[in-house]
Amino acid sequence: MWYVYFLQLRNGDVYVGSTNDLRRRFESHRSGYVTSTKAYLPATLKSYIAVETEVNARQLERYFKTGSGKAFAGKRFWSH
């Protein structure tokens, strides 16, 4: 199983990532080991989507990083 996940960062931004081990990856973010999020901790896991393959997860991650993908995710996976 692969996961596309959404983190709410301290500065209000939402980080989108994908992994096959959500607990380990979230702990990496929380511990400051991820360069792109360590300056904006604490981070809160807002939502995640489970998919069967890495290919699907990476495609969804790319989509959710686009303007329309961010809008879609914001309306359906967390409230502002």
Side-chain angles (χ1 to χ4, degrees):
M1 202 48 68
W2 278 79
Y3 304 91
V4 178
Y5 61 94
F6 304 90
L7 299 179
Q8 181 78 51
L9 303 177
R10 184 186 69 213
N11 67 351
D13 288 346
V14 174
Y15 175 88
V16 180
S18 59
T19 184
N20 64 346
D21 187 339
L22 186 58
R23 289 182 185 176
R24 177 194 51 77
R25 186 64 173 156
F26 181 56
E27 187 56 37
S28 293
H29 283 286
R30 287 177 23 119
S31 299
Y33 294 126
V34 180
T35 303
S36 54
T37 60
K38 69 180 180 180
Y40 307 104
L41 297 177
T44 305
L45 181 64
K46 297 301 282 182
S47 187
Y48 64 89
I49 302 166
V51 296
E52 190 173 8
T53 67
E54 179 181 7
V55 170
N56 288 346
R58 301 293 186 197
Q59 288 173 340
L60 278 172
E61 178 185 358
R62 277 194 304 275
Y63 169 68
F64 287 129
K65 289 180 176 180
T66 68
S68 60
K70 286 179 187 176
F72 178 90
K75 290 178 184 174
R76 289 164 179 84
F77 299 131
W78 66 86
S79 58
H80 292 276

